[in-house]
Amino acid sequence: MQTRELKKLLAILCIVVVVAGVLAYFDRPPTQSEATNDFSDLSWTAAFEALHETLAQEYAFTEWKGIDWDSLHATYAPQIAAAQSSQDFKGYYLTLRAYLNEIPDGHVRVNNLKEIDDLFIGGGYGLALANSSDHNIIISWVDPASQAFAAGLRPGTEVVSWNGQPIRTALDQTETSLSGTSATTEYLNLKKLAYLVRAPIGQPVEIGYLGADGATPGTATLVAFDDGGQSLRKNYPDAVVSNKLRDMFVGVDNPDPVPTAMVESQTVADTITYVKIQGELDADLQETGKVQSTLDLLRDAITAAEQNGSQGLIIDLRNNIGGLDQMAVDMLGFFYDQPAFYEYQNLYNPATGAFEIQENEDGGVGLTIAPTQPHYGGAVIVLINPKCVSSGEGLAMGLQKLPNVRTLGFYGTNGSFGLAGAEALMPGSLTVHWPSGQSLDEQKNIQLDSRNGSGGVRPDLVIPMTAENAIRIANGEDVELAEAIQVLQN
């Protein structure tokens, strides 16, 4: 993390983060320092040109993801110029977001401006949608005080059209740039479900649906109202798994309580140890004045599980914000009984203009998992989801390779495993971030970062998103945790 970002994190989170001066949100920090590119005093067009040139040179996955920088420039540079000519800041902001949204990478991002975002997605229709495993789009939640409820819409209702278009056509056309980039098609589709039902306050929509008999058609005309973003909190995974740490960092209001620590553990179902890992960094989340060692917290949880004769471990990496690669490697040491390769770090070097594999302090290259005590060799279920990102994905990857471990979830991880830390300050108090390094496997191939819509860690045990499960989730029931408990008990 750059010094400026560290100060911001301390101010917003009110926590002490000990990462030797480097760590950015859910970014995996590079192993060499990178200067911040400051384009904030330039015109919008000049700043865009400078950003584009920098990204085309430094972005770590141009070839891997097939990014056509010339085509992106041809599409978006004229729009930036038009916004500059008319002094349309809103147009400049939206164009910049749309440009970055063309890069399918969770580490490519720019901060949101809520006052503009709310002009487009500030309203909801009092309902949430889900794509069920039988390929129907169903309503998973309805606000009892909304027009939708008064019109007879209920959880489980199948939606067939949206403003006269087939529902899947409407979903395909749903704009998601205000929700941030999506590395995988899977995550993009989840965002489209969430943002189809967001609109400017006062905008009407006609919904076509099937009645309770599954055949009788009906329509309902609804008007978007200020719901405080409630529909977004009824989707998977937000209805079940807190996004508090990430939201605190980006300044999003979230009423959830601050986690007590980066690692929290408890006994569930009498004989199973549940361990929630928020990220791979040390922090003082409760402002006690003492930074807790995340590695020590995990060690204590494993020790307690062994002493209590635990039937197995559930390690929850859902919404893991990432952190330090070395800490992920150290955590994996508790589960390995012999050394294992983790990654090479291939980082862009501004001095040479090339990507170079980084050396360790001892002159060697690559990170290796070293077995450490206590060693846990019992049954492990790892919970994952698309908001498990960066070093959190590395932890899931390392665990999944073990014979006693199974990953479990509705969907895979984020698919954004690059080395992040590069940034550019843009006009309008906007900051753009991107990864300037790659994680390579032992054969020096890129690992985990998405390509052609696929990437990340896949669940070994896939839970189907049935209509019943979608409704349970919207009601706040943790279906994945319940399934993990059942697997260990059986």
Side-chain angles (χ1 to χ4, degrees), residues 21-91:
V22 289
L23 181 63
Y25 177 27
F26 55 79
D27 289 345
R28 305 167 60 231
T31 55
Q32 65 184 45
S33 61
E34 293 175 302
T36 298
N37 301 281
D38 191 348
F39 308 140
S40 59
D41 290 334
L42 302 178
S43 68
W44 301 343
T45 52
F48 178 80
E49 292 296 331
L51 173 67
H52 178 82
E53 181 180 351
T54 304
L55 284 173
Q57 185 173 17
E58 295 185 9
Y59 178 64
F61 302 104
T62 292
E63 294 183 7
W64 180 252
K65 294 178 182 284
I67 307 299
D68 187 341
W69 294 108
D70 290 340
S71 177
L72 290 180
H73 184 273
T75 298
Y76 292 101
Q79 297 179 40
I80 294 288
Q84 178 78 70
S85 178
S86 60
Q87 286 298 292
D88 177 12
F89 179 78
K90 180 176 68 176

XYZ file of all heavy atoms in Angstrom, residues 21-91:
562
model
N 4.240 -1.201 5.752
C 4.024 -0.095 4.834
C 3.379 -0.484 3.527
O 3.260 0.354 2.650
N 3.010 -1.753 3.368
C 2.373 -2.150 2.110
C 1.157 -3.013 2.374
O 1.208 -3.995 3.069
C 3.330 -2.957 1.202
C 4.402 -2.093 0.638
C 3.927 -4.145 1.926
N 0.019 -2.571 1.814
C -1.194 -3.396 1.746
C -2.307 -2.502 1.268
O -2.496 -1.433 1.802
C -1.599 -4.004 3.085
C -2.852 -4.865 2.966
C -2.603 -6.048 2.068
C -3.344 -5.317 4.295
N -3.024 -2.914 0.296
C -4.094 -2.097 -0.238
C -5.378 -2.892 -0.297
O -5.542 -3.723 -1.152
C -3.719 -1.575 -1.629
N -6.256 -2.659 0.708
C -7.624 -3.152 0.636
C -7.608 -4.645 0.421
O -7.151 -5.389 1.267
C -8.272 -2.359 -0.492
C -9.664 -2.641 -0.906
C -10.606 -3.165 -0.070
C -10.032 -2.317 -2.205
C -11.895 -3.362 -0.504
C -11.318 -2.511 -2.648
C -12.251 -3.048 -1.792
O -13.508 -3.247 -2.232
N -8.065 -5.153 -0.721
C -7.958 -6.579 -0.966
C -6.833 -6.864 -1.933
O -6.768 -7.908 -2.538
C -9.275 -7.164 -1.485
C -9.831 -6.506 -2.698
C -9.323 -6.792 -3.950
C -10.871 -5.611 -2.585
C -9.848 -6.199 -5.081
C -11.399 -5.016 -3.721
C -10.890 -5.306 -4.969
N -5.909 -5.897 -2.133
C -4.832 -6.080 -3.089
C -3.678 -6.874 -2.490
O -3.349 -6.732 -1.318
C -4.281 -4.722 -3.540
C -5.268 -3.983 -4.425
O -6.213 -4.615 -4.911
O -5.076 -2.796 -4.605
N -3.049 -7.654 -3.331
C -1.833 -8.346 -2.935
C -0.676 -7.443 -3.321
O -0.488 -7.135 -4.487
C -1.748 -9.685 -3.652
C -2.965 -10.529 -3.435
C -3.039 -11.694 -4.370
N -1.894 -12.554 -4.216
C -1.154 -12.947 -5.246
N -1.416 -12.544 -6.456
N -0.146 -13.749 -5.048
N 0.114 -6.946 -2.358
C 1.119 -5.940 -2.659
C 2.290 -6.485 -3.458
O 2.692 -7.624 -3.280
C 1.593 -5.503 -1.264
C 1.314 -6.676 -0.399
C 0.070 -7.318 -0.943
N 2.849 -5.681 -4.353
C 4.036 -6.090 -5.078
C 5.233 -6.120 -4.157
O 5.216 -5.554 -3.068
C 4.189 -5.010 -6.154
C 3.527 -3.808 -5.561
C 2.385 -4.348 -4.736
N 6.309 -6.753 -4.605
C 7.488 -6.885 -3.760
C 8.475 -5.751 -3.964
O 9.514 -5.733 -3.349
C 8.192 -8.216 -4.055
O 8.473 -8.294 -5.453
C 7.302 -9.382 -3.653
N 8.153 -4.818 -4.838
C 8.985 -3.626 -4.951
C 8.054 -2.423 -4.964
O 6.903 -2.507 -5.335
C 9.838 -3.656 -6.227
C 9.025 -3.605 -7.518
C 9.904 -3.743 -8.750
O 10.776 -4.591 -8.807
N 9.668 -2.912 -9.721
N 8.577 -1.272 -4.507
C 7.726 -0.104 -4.388
C 7.369 0.435 -5.766
O 8.112 0.312 -6.722
C 8.446 0.980 -3.574
O 9.637 1.369 -4.233
N 6.176 1.034 -5.853
C 5.734 1.625 -7.091
C 5.268 3.041 -6.811
O 4.499 3.278 -5.889
C 4.572 0.815 -7.696
C 4.982 -0.569 -8.152
C 3.778 -1.368 -8.617
O 2.845 -1.544 -7.817
O 3.789 -1.802 -9.768
N 5.747 3.988 -7.603
C 5.351 5.369 -7.410
C 3.933 5.574 -7.922
O 3.521 4.990 -8.919
C 6.306 6.296 -8.152
N 3.168 6.408 -7.209
C 1.832 6.738 -7.651
C 1.914 7.661 -8.859
O 2.668 8.628 -8.868
C 1.057 7.428 -6.520
O 0.935 6.530 -5.418
C -0.323 7.848 -6.983
N 1.138 7.365 -9.880
C 1.045 8.233 -11.047
C 0.031 9.325 -10.747
O -1.136 9.029 -10.488
C 0.588 7.426 -12.269
C 1.526 6.279 -12.597
O 2.562 6.476 -13.188
N 1.145 5.069 -12.183
N 0.454 10.576 -10.753
C -0.435 11.680 -10.417
C -0.817 12.441 -11.685
O -0.046 13.235 -12.210
C 0.233 12.613 -9.418
C -0.743 13.630 -8.833
O -1.870 13.745 -9.368
O -0.390 14.309 -7.853
N -2.037 12.161 -12.178
C -2.562 12.849 -13.356
C -3.690 13.800 -12.966
O -4.420 14.295 -13.834
C -3.112 11.823 -14.363
C -2.141 10.723 -14.719
C -2.586 9.406 -14.854
C -0.791 10.985 -14.916
C -1.709 8.390 -15.197
C 0.100 9.969 -15.240
C -0.358 8.674 -15.384
N -3.827 14.061 -11.673
C -5.000 14.778 -11.173
C -5.057 16.236 -11.607
O -6.151 16.820 -11.644
C -5.053 14.695 -9.642
O -3.881 15.253 -9.065
N -3.927 16.847 -11.937
C -3.922 18.250 -12.338
C -4.049 18.430 -13.843
O -4.073 19.557 -14.340
C -2.643 18.941 -11.852
C -2.620 19.108 -10.343
O -3.708 19.165 -9.742
O -1.518 19.162 -9.767
N -4.132 17.341 -14.579
C -4.268 17.419 -16.031
C -5.732 17.603 -16.417
O -6.639 17.405 -15.604
C -3.736 16.132 -16.674
C -2.274 15.761 -16.395
C -1.937 14.432 -17.071
C -1.326 16.854 -16.865
N -5.965 17.982 -17.660
C -7.333 17.991 -18.159
C -7.851 16.564 -18.199
O -7.079 15.603 -18.134
C -7.380 18.610 -19.558
O -6.720 17.747 -20.486
N -9.158 16.393 -18.335
C -9.711 15.046 -18.368
C -9.149 14.253 -19.540
O -8.836 13.069 -19.397
C -11.239 15.094 -18.461
C -11.891 15.828 -17.331
C -11.344 16.145 -16.124
C -13.218 16.349 -17.316
N -12.245 16.821 -15.343
C -13.408 16.965 -16.041
C -14.260 16.358 -18.232
C -14.612 17.577 -15.688
C -15.464 16.964 -17.887
C -15.633 17.567 -16.632
N -9.046 14.891 -20.682
C -8.540 14.186 -21.860
C -7.074 13.823 -21.693
O -6.663 12.696 -22.001
C -8.718 15.034 -23.126
O -8.162 16.345 -22.911
C -10.193 15.168 -23.485
N -6.263 14.750 -21.181
C -4.839 14.464 -20.994
C -4.632 13.388 -19.937
O -3.767 12.516 -20.073
C -4.090 15.744 -20.614
N -5.439 13.444 -18.877
C -5.320 12.433 -17.822
C -5.711 11.054 -18.359
O -5.062 10.046 -18.047
C -6.204 12.805 -16.640
N -6.756 11.010 -19.175
C -7.168 9.734 -19.754
C -6.078 9.177 -20.666
O -5.778 7.976 -20.624
C -8.470 9.894 -20.539
C -8.928 8.629 -21.203
C -9.589 7.649 -20.484
C -8.674 8.399 -22.552
C -10.008 6.467 -21.088
C -9.073 7.224 -23.165
C -9.742 6.256 -22.438
N -5.485 10.033 -21.474
C -4.417 9.580 -22.367
C -3.244 9.026 -21.563
O -2.660 7.994 -21.910
C -3.956 10.731 -23.261
C -4.969 11.204 -24.274
C -5.317 10.147 -25.306
O -4.460 9.288 -25.611
O -6.458 10.167 -25.815
N -2.881 9.721 -20.480
C -1.760 9.274 -19.651
C -2.088 7.952 -18.969
O -1.242 7.048 -18.883
C -1.427 10.344 -18.616
N -3.324 7.834 -18.480
C -3.744 6.587 -17.832
C -3.730 5.442 -18.836
O -3.223 4.351 -18.542
C -5.142 6.748 -17.242
C -5.780 5.464 -16.679
C -5.016 4.990 -15.449
C -7.253 5.697 -16.349
N -4.290 5.681 -19.999
C -4.369 4.635 -21.013
C -2.973 4.148 -21.404
O -2.732 2.942 -21.497
C -5.109 5.164 -22.244
C -5.202 4.165 -23.357
N -6.159 3.178 -23.387
C -4.433 3.977 -24.463
C -5.988 2.440 -24.461
N -4.956 2.901 -25.138
N -2.066 5.082 -21.612
C -0.691 4.709 -21.985
C -0.032 3.888 -20.881
O 0.664 2.895 -21.149
C 0.127 5.962 -22.273
C 1.562 5.684 -22.687
C 2.351 6.944 -22.971
O 1.744 8.045 -23.023
O 3.594 6.848 -23.133
N -0.275 4.286 -19.622
C 0.314 3.570 -18.496
C -0.261 2.166 -18.363
O 0.471 1.182 -18.169
C 0.087 4.358 -17.186
O 0.615 5.677 -17.321
C 0.764 3.674 -16.018
N -1.580 2.051 -18.464
C -2.206 0.742 -18.361
C -1.744 -0.185 -19.478
O -1.460 -1.367 -19.239
C -3.731 0.882 -18.406
C -4.429 1.380 -17.142
C -5.906 1.625 -17.409
C -4.262 0.405 -15.993
N -1.679 0.339 -20.693
C -1.271 -0.495 -21.830
C 0.137 -1.041 -21.640
O 0.467 -2.117 -22.156
C -1.350 0.316 -23.117
N 0.945 -0.335 -20.873
C 2.325 -0.769 -20.656
C 2.467 -1.636 -19.414
O 3.206 -2.630 -19.418
C 3.234 0.453 -20.526
C 4.713 0.116 -20.418
C 5.591 1.364 -20.466
O 5.126 2.478 -20.271
N 6.862 1.165 -20.729
N 1.758 -1.302 -18.353
C 1.996 -1.931 -17.054
C 0.997 -3.014 -16.666
O 1.307 -3.844 -15.804
C 1.998 -0.862 -15.949
C 3.123 0.143 -16.049
C 3.146 1.084 -14.859
O 2.396 0.839 -13.878
O 3.902 2.066 -14.904
N -0.194 -2.998 -17.241
C -1.198 -3.975 -16.818
C -0.671 -5.387 -17.054
O -0.151 -5.706 -18.124
C -2.514 -3.761 -17.557
C -3.559 -4.774 -17.195
C -4.055 -4.850 -15.891
C -4.033 -5.680 -18.133
C -5.003 -5.800 -15.540
C -4.984 -6.637 -17.795
C -5.460 -6.691 -16.494
O -6.389 -7.645 -16.139
N -0.837 -6.234 -16.055
C -0.128 -7.516 -16.036
C -0.730 -8.595 -16.936
O -0.064 -9.594 -17.207
C -0.065 -8.044 -14.596
N -1.956 -8.407 -17.411
C -2.625 -9.522 -18.093
C -3.148 -9.147 -19.480
O -4.168 -9.677 -19.921
C -3.769 -10.045 -17.210
C -3.308 -10.494 -15.854
C -3.528 -9.703 -14.736
C -2.620 -11.688 -15.699
C -3.093 -10.105 -13.480
C -2.185 -12.098 -14.453
C -2.419 -11.308 -13.337
N -2.448 -8.256 -20.154
C -2.891 -7.834 -21.482
C -3.020 -9.022 -22.431
O -4.059 -9.227 -23.071
C -1.930 -6.795 -22.069
O -2.038 -5.571 -21.312
C -2.248 -6.504 -23.521
N -1.975 -9.817 -22.547
C -2.010 -10.969 -23.453
C -2.893 -12.077 -22.892
O -3.651 -12.715 -23.637
C -0.594 -11.490 -23.696
C 0.297 -10.515 -24.460
C 1.672 -11.092 -24.750
O 1.881 -12.289 -24.470
O 2.522 -10.342 -25.242
N -2.810 -12.317 -21.605
C -3.566 -13.399 -20.971
C -5.073 -13.214 -21.163
O -5.805 -14.156 -21.448
C -3.218 -13.446 -19.487
C -3.900 -14.508 -18.681
C -4.888 -14.326 -17.756
C -3.659 -15.918 -18.723
N -5.265 -15.519 -17.208
C -4.524 -16.521 -17.781
C -2.793 -16.725 -19.441
C -4.557 -17.893 -17.551
C -2.823 -18.107 -19.216
C -3.691 -18.661 -18.282
N -5.544 -11.985 -21.029
C -6.966 -11.697 -21.137
C -7.362 -11.173 -22.518
O -8.558 -10.931 -22.769
C -7.386 -10.694 -20.055
C -7.273 -11.231 -18.633
C -7.650 -10.157 -17.619
C -7.490 -10.653 -16.182
N -8.577 -11.567 -15.774
N -6.369 -10.962 -23.382
C -6.672 -10.486 -24.725
C -7.198 -9.065 -24.761
O -8.137 -8.755 -25.510
N -6.610 -8.173 -23.988
C -7.054 -6.789 -23.941
C -6.581 -6.046 -25.198
O -5.384 -6.012 -25.487
C -6.528 -6.062 -22.682
C -6.878 -6.853 -21.415
C -7.079 -4.639 -22.623
C -8.345 -7.034 -21.173
N -7.501 -5.464 -25.931
C -7.186 -4.687 -27.134
C -7.192 -3.207 -26.763
O -8.231 -2.536 -26.822
C -8.213 -4.983 -28.224
C -7.861 -4.337 -29.565
O -7.053 -3.392 -29.577
O -8.413 -4.771 -30.590
N -6.046 -2.705 -26.384
C -5.953 -1.329 -25.900
C -6.295 -0.320 -26.994
O -6.916 0.715 -26.716
C -4.571 -1.059 -25.326
C -4.278 -1.856 -24.089
C -3.431 -2.914 -23.958
C -4.874 -1.671 -22.785
N -3.454 -3.407 -22.677
C -4.316 -2.658 -21.938
C -5.800 -0.782 -22.271
C -4.679 -2.765 -20.597
C -6.159 -0.884 -20.931
C -5.606 -1.872 -20.104
N -5.905 -0.592 -28.225
C -6.205 0.343 -29.319
C -7.710 0.468 -29.522
O -8.241 1.576 -29.727
C -5.546 -0.132 -30.618
C -4.025 0.001 -30.589
O -3.519 0.782 -29.753
O -3.355 -0.676 -31.389
N -8.402 -0.646 -29.456
C -9.851 -0.619 -29.622
C -10.524 0.132 -28.472
O -11.457 0.920 -28.687
C -10.391 -2.046 -29.697
O -11.795 -2.046 -29.786
N -10.057 -0.098 -27.252
C -10.627 0.607 -26.104
C -10.408 2.114 -26.237
O -11.300 2.913 -25.946
C -10.013 0.092 -24.804
C -10.393 -1.329 -24.384
C -9.697 -1.696 -23.071
C -11.898 -1.464 -24.230
N -9.225 2.489 -26.689
C -8.929 3.917 -26.864
C -9.843 4.522 -27.916
O -10.392 5.624 -27.734
C -7.468 4.106 -27.252
C -7.055 5.545 -27.347
N -7.200 6.289 -28.499
C -6.516 6.389 -26.414
C -6.769 7.518 -28.292
N -6.354 7.603 -27.031
N -10.029 3.815 -29.018
C -10.880 4.320 -30.096
C -12.320 4.501 -29.640
O -13.036 5.395 -30.104
C -10.816 3.377 -31.290
N -12.760 3.651 -28.715
C -14.138 3.728 -28.227
C -14.323 4.828 -27.209
O -15.300 5.603 -27.278
C -14.552 2.376 -27.602
O -14.496 1.359 -28.597
C -15.966 2.454 -27.028
N -13.400 4.943 -26.258
C -13.645 5.792 -25.095
C -12.954 7.156 -25.133
O -13.439 8.091 -24.492
C -13.267 5.038 -23.817
C -14.199 3.888 -23.556
C -13.833 2.572 -23.858
C -15.467 4.112 -23.046
C -14.710 1.519 -23.641
C -16.341 3.055 -22.822
C -15.953 1.765 -23.130
O -16.830 0.736 -22.922
N -11.868 7.314 -25.849
C -11.201 8.619 -25.912
C -12.130 9.695 -26.468
O -12.177 10.817 -25.926
C -9.914 8.524 -26.729
N -12.884 9.431 -27.545
C -13.804 10.465 -28.035
C -14.884 10.834 -27.014
O -15.305 11.994 -26.947
C -14.430 9.818 -29.279
C -13.438 8.798 -29.724
C -12.842 8.261 -28.454
N -15.323 9.869 -26.211
C -16.339 10.165 -25.200
C -15.774 11.042 -24.086
O -16.452 11.939 -23.582
C -16.884 8.862 -24.624
C -17.591 7.978 -25.632
C -18.105 6.686 -25.031
O -18.610 6.674 -23.896
N -17.984 5.579 -25.763
N -14.534 10.770 -23.707
C -13.870 11.626 -22.716
C -13.703 13.038 -23.279
O -13.940 14.042 -22.582
C -12.504 11.036 -22.315
C -12.674 9.707 -21.569
C -11.711 12.040 -21.475
C -13.209 9.831 -20.163
N -13.308 13.125 -24.552
C -13.120 14.431 -25.186
C -14.437 15.205 -25.244
O -14.474 16.425 -25.020
C -12.537 14.248 -26.582
N -15.539 14.498 -25.539
C -16.845 15.154 -25.591
C -17.246 15.671 -24.214
O -17.798 16.775 -24.084
C -17.892 14.183 -26.121
N -16.980 14.874 -23.179
C -17.278 15.312 -21.815
C -16.442 16.536 -21.450
O -16.935 17.483 -20.827
C -17.036 14.174 -20.833
N -15.161 16.541 -21.858
C -14.287 17.673 -21.587
C -14.812 18.931 -22.283
O -14.858 20.016 -21.693
C -12.878 17.367 -22.094
C -11.871 18.502 -21.920
C -11.359 18.612 -20.504
O -10.626 17.764 -20.042
N -11.774 19.660 -19.802
N -15.227 18.769 -23.547
C -15.690 19.912 -24.325
C -16.918 20.570 -23.707
O -17.038 21.802 -23.710
C -16.008 19.465 -25.757
O -16.503 20.538 -26.526
N -17.805 19.751 -23.161
C -19.034 20.295 -22.572
C -18.941 20.467 -21.057
O -19.937 20.800 -20.413
C -20.213 19.386 -22.911
O -20.003 18.070 -22.409
N -17.766 20.185 -20.498
C -17.553 20.254 -19.043
C -18.584 19.409 -18.293
O -19.135 19.819 -17.263
C -17.591 21.702 -18.555
C -16.350 22.507 -18.904
C -15.091 21.908 -18.254
O -14.935 21.945 -17.035
N -14.195 21.369 -19.069
N -18.795 18.214 -18.831
C -19.752 17.271 -18.258
C -19.000 16.287 -17.369
O -18.558 15.234 -17.825
C -20.477 16.550 -19.397
C -21.447 15.484 -18.903
O -21.742 15.447 -17.691
O -21.910 14.681 -19.744
N -18.876 16.623 -16.083
C -18.121 15.762 -15.177
C -18.776 14.397 -15.029
O -18.091 13.374 -14.970
C -17.972 16.414 -13.799
C -17.211 15.559 -12.821
C -15.831 15.477 -12.872
C -17.877 14.800 -11.874
C -15.123 14.672 -11.985
C -17.183 13.990 -10.977
C -15.801 13.930 -11.048
N -20.088 14.390 -14.977
C -20.793 13.119 -14.870
C -20.443 12.219 -16.051
O -20.183 11.021 -15.885
C -22.297 13.355 -14.802
C -23.126 12.082 -14.685
C -24.607 12.399 -14.527
C -25.168 13.014 -15.800
N -26.622 13.251 -15.711
N -20.420 12.800 -17.247
C -20.076 12.024 -18.436
C -18.654 11.507 -18.390
O -18.374 10.363 -18.785
